Amino acid sequence: VSPYVVVTPNETRRKQLQQIAKKELDDLERWKEEHRPGPIMLVPQRLGGKESEAQARQNQQMMLMQSKYQQKHKREEYVKAKKAAEEAEILRKKAIQREKAEKLEVKKRQKEMQRREMFLEAQNYKTNELLNRLDVGLPKSDSCQIANPGPESTAWERSHAYRQALQEEENRRLEKMKQEQRRKAELMEFKQKQEEEARTRAHQNEQRRVNNAFLDRLQKKTQPDSNQPGYSG
């Protein structure tokens, strides 16, 4: 064990410190007594109001019901907004798919028209080539008119009439296709307007029904009681 030294305490110094501490505690207690707050003097007031206790409770119940209705209404509005957003997203996707299908259909029809035009051009080219060969072999007069129309002239007339008939039929078919596309677009726009109007009317009717039901319940449960005496608190 290492050596150590024991120091004898200074009794005089200890007594002086104790006296100083006791004096400070006495001063603190004296300060608390001097600064203790006095009694509170309030002016008497009449509490309560002109309403009776039953009417006050009815008003409190009405406020509670209104709060519950507001919360319910907020939840319903949130659900409706979410459902409307989902329906709008579905309609948007359907519109995109419909637009893609229409574009594909238009491309197919354009390709079909191009094939028909190429076929008609090739047919017209061959027909003209044949008619040119027939014209070369026909005798001509000074007036560039055929004196005696033969079977070649009749064949040319039939070919020309057939070519005109094909061209008219193709024009009619193209015009019919254009009218059909225009009619489909108008019908689609009309259907979209009808669906939007139906959704708006259904939303307004549902909101009106909920408001009327709430007002009916509120009117039944919160009838004012005029026979109750005044309540003073």
Side-chain angles (χ1 to χ4, degrees):
V1 180
S2 60
Y4 62 92
V5 178
V6 178
V7 178
T8 304
N10 191 347
E11 293 295 335
T12 305
R13 181 62 176 170
R14 178 185 294 179
K15 289 180 180 180
Q16 289 178 355
L17 293 175
Q18 289 178 351
Q19 289 176 358
I20 293 172
K22 186 176 182 303
K23 182 178 181 301
E24 291 178 353
L25 290 174
D26 294 339
D27 293 339
L28 179 60
E29 292 296 332
R30 190 182 308 108
W31 184 88
K32 287 182 179 180
E33 289 294 333
E34 292 175 356
H35 294 81
R36 178 178 295 178
I40 299 175
M41 302 298 292
L42 296 177
V43 179
Q45 295 180 358
R46 182 183 178 85
L47 302 178
K50 297 181 181 180
E51 298 178 352
S52 63
E53 182 179 3
Q55 191 172 0
R57 292 184 182 278
Q58 287 181 358
N59 293 336
Q60 186 178 7
Q61 186 178 5
M62 184 189 302
M63 293 177 63
L64 180 62
M65 290 178 62
Q66 288 179 354
S67 177
K68 290 182 179 179
Y69 170 74
Q70 289 177 358
Q71 292 178 0
K72 181 180 178 181
H73 184 67
K74 286 182 180 180
R75 288 195 299 269
E76 291 177 353
E77 289 294 331
Y78 173 75
V79 172
K80 288 180 181 179
K82 185 177 180 181
K83 187 176 180 181
E86 292 176 355
E87 291 179 354
E89 183 66 18
I90 292 173
L91 291 176
R92 187 183 66 83
K93 291 182 179 179
K94 286 183 179 180
I96 291 174
Q97 294 296 327
R98 191 182 302 111
E99 185 178 358
K100 289 182 179 179
E102 290 176 356
K103 288 182 179 180
L104 183 61
E105 185 68 21
V106 170
K107 287 182 179 180
K108 290 172 64 176
R109 290 178 180 175
Q110 288 178 353
K111 289 182 179 179
E112 182 67 22
M113 291 175 62
Q114 288 178 359
R115 285 196 295 267
R116 286 180 177 272
E117 290 176 357
M118 292 175 64
F119 174 75
L120 290 175
E121 288 178 0
Q123 188 176 11
N124 292 333
Y125 177 77
K126 290 182 180 180
T127 303
N128 291 330
E129 186 179 1
L130 176 61
L131 293 176
N132 291 331
R133 286 201 303 269
L134 292 175
D135 291 339
V136 170
L138 291 177
K140 298 182 179 179
S141 61
D142 295 338
S143 61
C144 297
Q145 294 181 354
I146 300 175
N148 296 321
E152 292 83 0
S153 177
T154 305
W156 183 85
E157 291 177 357
R158 288 199 302 269
S159 175
H160 183 68
Y162 175 72
R163 190 162 59 249
Q164 286 183 348
L166 286 178
Q167 187 67 29
E168 291 176 358
E169 181 67 21
E170 185 68 18
N171 293 334
R172 285 195 298 270
R173 191 181 66 82
L174 293 176
E175 186 64 25
K176 185 177 180 181
M177 289 172 60
K178 290 179 181 179
Q179 292 179 358
E180 185 69 19
Q181 290 295 328
R182 194 180 301 111
R183 187 182 66 81
K184 288 182 179 179
E186 292 176 355
L187 182 61
M188 185 182 302
E189 185 178 0
F190 178 71
K191 286 183 178 179
Q192 289 179 355
K193 289 183 179 179
Q194 281 187 337
E195 291 176 357
E196 184 66 24
E197 291 177 356
R199 284 195 299 269
T200 303
R201 287 195 299 270
H203 177 71
Q204 292 177 354
N205 293 333
E206 180 65 19
Q207 189 172 6
R208 192 179 299 111
R209 184 187 66 80
V210 172
N211 292 337
N212 292 333
F214 170 73
L215 292 175
D216 292 340
R217 292 195 303 268
L218 194 62
Q219 187 175 5
K220 290 179 181 179
K221 293 182 179 181
T222 60
Q223 293 293 336
D225 190 1
S226 59
N227 296 326
Q228 294 289 338
Y231 172 72
S232 61

